[in-house]
Amino acid sequence: MNLFDSARLRRTFELAPGHHTHPNPGVGALVVKDGVVVGEGFHSGPGNDHAEVVALVAAGDDARGSDLYVSLEPCSHQGRTPPCVDAVLAAGIARIVIGIEDPDPKVSGSGVAALRDAGVEVVLSDQPADAEAVDPAYLHHRRTGLPPETA
């Protein structure tokens, strides 16, 4: 990961709304084409589009061949919304930089694996502590099963 990646990833942390999305994680995302941000988004709450989808829609056709930066690993399972991995692949993202893998057992590395299997270059942050600070209650709950209030 380079300085450019670090700066873009930090922006996803700023976009992420944190615990206000409970029980879902607070996630921020950016689409960058040729060094220019062409879409950004965040997850606003259960049942709404996830950050990746919001950013990809904002980027439109510019998403194809672009880089996607996301604070948390894209989901790979059907919940209230379709898997984000499917949207990332359909948009033609070439490279994704992820702040931290999602500890949720329904995701936990499967989003990363699906993207890599499809030929997307996946870069995991070398500074996961920054991503951990985005939504510690969600991460605590997914890792321990305990209520977020005990984080």
Side-chain angles (χ1 to χ4, degrees):
M1 204 168 84
N2 58 42
L3 288 176
F4 182 81
D5 288 341
S6 293
R8 296 300 187 204
L9 203 51
R10 272 194 306 279
R11 176 65 182 142
T12 71
F13 303 156
E14 293 168 2
L15 289 168
H19 68 279
H20 305 293
T21 58
H22 181 74
N24 295 0
V27 179
L30 291 177
V31 179
V32 177
K33 178 136 190 151
D34 301 324
V36 177
V37 175
V38 294
E40 61 180 35
F42 60 90
H43 179 56
S44 61
N48 296 324
D49 285 339
H50 292 186
E52 301 91 327
V53 173
V54 174
L56 292 168
V57 167
D61 292 338
D62 284 335
R64 187 153 306 283
S66 293
D67 293 347
L68 175 64
Y69 294 82
V70 64
S71 58
L72 183 72
E73 175 182 12
C75 65
S76 54
H77 67 282
Q78 176 71 44
R80 292 182 186 137
T81 61
C84 292
V85 166
D86 293 352
V88 171
L89 295 175
I93 291 295
R95 179 175 178 265
I96 184 169
V97 179
I98 300 170
I100 192 171
E101 287 185 84
D102 191 336
D104 186 323
K106 292 181 263 178
V107 182
S108 195
S110 64
V112 168
L115 292 165
R116 284 184 173 145
D117 289 348
V120 176
E121 179 186 349
V122 177
V123 177
L124 295 172
S125 173
D126 56 3
Q127 299 174 340
D130 294 339
E132 293 264 350
V134 171
D135 195 349
Y138 169 82
L139 297 172
H140 171 77
H141 178 258
R142 290 305 187 266
R143 289 178 178 142
T144 67
L146 297 173
E149 298 80 32
T150 64

